[in-house]
């Protein structure tokens, strides 16, 4: 009888140890997936990339650069606040980003010359599939 009880205790101990290990593996996998699935939205980095494109392409003057940089940061910060809705409300996210994009374009039109605005219009991505800093900002 003691022998059967000992074997049963060893068996149950082995099963619970195996389950604890697999739960740990699942937890590690879940935490790794959550950190790799949604990289942080770095406003400063994307703003620098966007300004790196806009400054030379639009030939921004030293007086225009702070105003354009401010608009870029404003647009990126709005996107950062809208981003959490992307997974839960795709239509709402798209609608809010369309408004954000149109706001950026209208404010830029007031900030830069008509010639620069024509150049900006040519640079604007037509969809989110474009791989440019402007697409990261506007879609």
């Amino acid at each position: 009888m003691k022998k059967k009880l000992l074997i049963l205790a060893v068996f149950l101990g082995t099963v619970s140890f195996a389950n604890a290990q697999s739960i740990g593996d699942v937890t590690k996998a879940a935490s790794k997936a959550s950190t790799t699935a949604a990289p942080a939205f770095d406003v400063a980095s994307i703003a620098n990339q966007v300004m790196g494109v806009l400054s030379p392409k639009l030939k921004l003057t030293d007086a225009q650069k702070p105003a354009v940089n401010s608009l870029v940061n404003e647009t990126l910060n709005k996107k950062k606040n809208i981003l959490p809705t992307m997974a839960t409300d795709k239509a709402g996210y798209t609608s809010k980003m369309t408004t954000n994009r149109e706001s950026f374009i209208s404010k830029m039109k007031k900030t830069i010359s008509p010639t620069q605005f024509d150049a900006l219009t040519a640079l604007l991505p037509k969809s989110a599939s474009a791989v440019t800093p402007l697409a990261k900002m506007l879609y």
Side-chain angles (χ1 to χ4, degrees):
M1 182 73 179
K2 286 183 181 180
K3 197 173 189 182
K4 287 182 182 178
L5 204 56
L6 182 63
I7 292 172
L8 180 63
V10 170
F11 175 73
L12 290 175
T14 304
V15 169
S16 62
F17 178 76
N19 283 337
Q21 290 297 317
S22 65
I23 290 171
D25 293 342
V26 169
T27 305
K28 285 179 190 173
S31 68
K32 187 175 182 181
S34 68
T35 57
T36 58
F41 187 76
D42 186 1
V43 171
S45 173
I46 297 170
N48 286 336
Q49 293 172 17
V50 170
M51 288 304 293
V53 171
L54 294 181
S55 290
K57 299 279 186 179
L58 302 182
K59 297 179 177 113
L60 296 174
T61 65
D62 289 338
Q64 291 173 321
K65 286 179 184 177
V68 171
N69 191 38
S70 176
L71 282 175
V72 166
N73 278 295
E74 176 186 323
T75 304
L76 286 167
N77 281 315
K78 284 181 184 176
K79 178 176 180 173
K80 185 175 185 175
N81 292 334
I82 296 169
L83 267 178
T85 64
M86 181 190 258
T88 58
D89 181 14
K90 187 74 172 164
Y93 171 81
T94 303
S95 173
K96 289 176 184 176
M97 281 307 297
T98 299
T99 303
N100 192 25
R101 186 170 44 257
E102 290 169 353
S103 172
F104 172 75
I105 293 169
S106 69
K107 289 177 181 179
M108 281 294 286
K109 190 171 189 173
K110 296 174 186 174
T111 306
I112 58 179
S113 73
T115 306
Q116 290 171 315
F117 187 75
D118 290 342
L120 173 66
T121 304
L123 291 173
L124 293 175
K126 306 296 182 233
S127 71
S129 62
V131 186
T132 67
L134 286 168
K136 286 182 196 175
M137 177 176 74
L138 297 173
Y139 288 95

